[in-house]
Amino acid sequence: MTNTATHRVATALRYRKLAVDAFHEAQAQYEIAVLDHVTARIVEAYPETTHLTFDHSTHDRTVELHALWTTHHGGTEELVLDIRRDADTTTLDLDELADDLSDALAGLHSAAWSAVRPYPRPDRRWTLDLPPADRIVRIAELVSAHHPHAQLITVDLAGDTCRVLDVTCADTSQSDVGVIKTISATDEHPLWPESTERRITAFARQIHALPHLRARHLARVGGPDEHTAFLLLPQTGTTGE
């Protein structure tokens, strides 16, 4: 193969990769936008709803809604709407919501699966946590419950996964202004419980999928092949989960 032909092949492969990356980015943006649309419609009708349960068919990738729930401050759940029992009493278009969620969760690696808890309930139904109105504020609340002086977190957004690498905090034990310290996650000393990690990384992945939130809250680290980013935290003044 001549040098010209080799160059043409390499150029074609590079543009193909760029096109594939752009497609995946647009797909993730669509999936999270649909998730937010479904959330907005549910919260408008039932403001107290924090999560929903659903059946998911592995055969045709469709969703069947089961119930809407709220979680109280102590962690107890309360049924808001039993969809199968009370479908005729709600103003929500449940079939349309189910179709929308089926679209959002159709892909095996859909970004919207970040909102679904990784293991089904004992009744084999899945739980989808409705995204909060402000994801970055909720992340800050979750982080500050374990690291009250956190300023930012470093996240690894490689592939379909996301994990928190470390937390950067203001070191209040020092008298000097501007002293900071970094606390890294290790197997022996995780930054927080696994459930907290799952929630933080789910919101971080959703922020990454939406361009307007990504531009506002994520600062890329390294070159174009790096998947590490700083996520800057607002100071909420809260320390509870």
Side-chain angles (χ1 to χ4, degrees):
M1 186 178 293
T2 66
N3 289 338
T4 300
T6 301
H7 176 72
R8 290 178 63 183
V9 169
T11 300
L13 288 174
R14 181 165 60 86
Y15 282 123
R16 179 186 177 188
K17 182 181 184 304
L18 289 173
V20 169
D21 290 345
F23 171 79
H24 288 159
E25 183 173 335
Q27 184 68 25
Q29 181 181 348
Y30 168 76
E31 291 157 354
I32 298 303
V34 172
L35 175 64
D36 282 354
H37 174 67
V38 169
T39 297
R41 292 172 62 189
I42 291 174
V43 171
E44 181 180 22
Y46 300 96
E48 68 273 32
T49 304
T50 56
H51 58 285
L52 61 84
T53 49
F54 66 95
D55 294 318
H56 187 255
S57 170
T58 56
H59 173 67
D60 58 9
R61 313 293 296 173
T62 57
V63 164
E64 181 181 359
L65 298 177
H66 177 253
L68 305 182
W69 300 82
T70 187
T71 302
H72 295 294
H73 185 67
T76 59
E77 289 185 322
E78 181 181 349
L79 182 66
V80 175
L81 178 71
D82 186 323
I83 291 172
R84 292 183 177 180
R85 185 190 66 196
D86 303 323
D88 295 336
T89 67
T90 181
T91 58
L92 288 172
D93 188 332
L94 299 172
D95 290 336
E96 186 174 326
L97 290 179
D99 288 344
D100 286 344
L101 277 180
S102 295
D103 286 343
L105 298 172
L108 290 174
H109 302 289
S110 165
W113 276 103
S114 63
V116 179
R117 298 180 197 174
Y119 302 105
R121 298 160 69 96
D123 58 9
R124 306 305 299 170
R125 292 189 171 94
W126 296 91
T127 301
L128 183 146
D129 293 311
L130 301 185
D134 194 328
R135 289 177 173 90
I136 192 65
V137 168
R138 189 67 188 116
I139 289 176
E141 292 170 348
L142 292 167
V143 171
S144 65
H146 300 275
H147 303 281
H149 304 292
Q151 304 293 310
L152 62 86
I153 60 175
T154 308
V155 293
D156 181 0
L157 295 156
D160 298 313
T161 62
C162 178
R163 62 193 180 102
V164 181
L165 301 177
D166 53 54
V167 177
T168 300
C169 304
D171 190 350
T172 58
S173 66
Q174 302 293 328
S175 59
D176 296 12
V177 177
V179 174
I180 61 172
K181 63 178 179 180
T182 299
I183 305 170
S184 298
T186 66
D187 292 339
E188 295 78 15
H189 300 286
L191 296 168
W192 35 61
E194 183 179 349
S195 60
T196 301
E197 173 77 4
R198 179 188 63 78
R199 295 164 73 189
I200 291 172
T201 56
F203 298 145
R205 188 179 174 198
Q206 293 163 25
I207 287 172
H208 183 253
L210 296 172
H212 67 290
L213 295 183
R214 182 171 67 235
R216 189 183 310 164
H217 301 303
L218 285 171
R220 200 69 174 265
V221 180
D225 295 328
E226 282 285 339
H227 299 283
T228 303
F230 293 139
L231 197 154
L232 309 177
L233 302 176
Q235 301 306 299
T236 64
T238 61
T239 58
E241 289 203 39

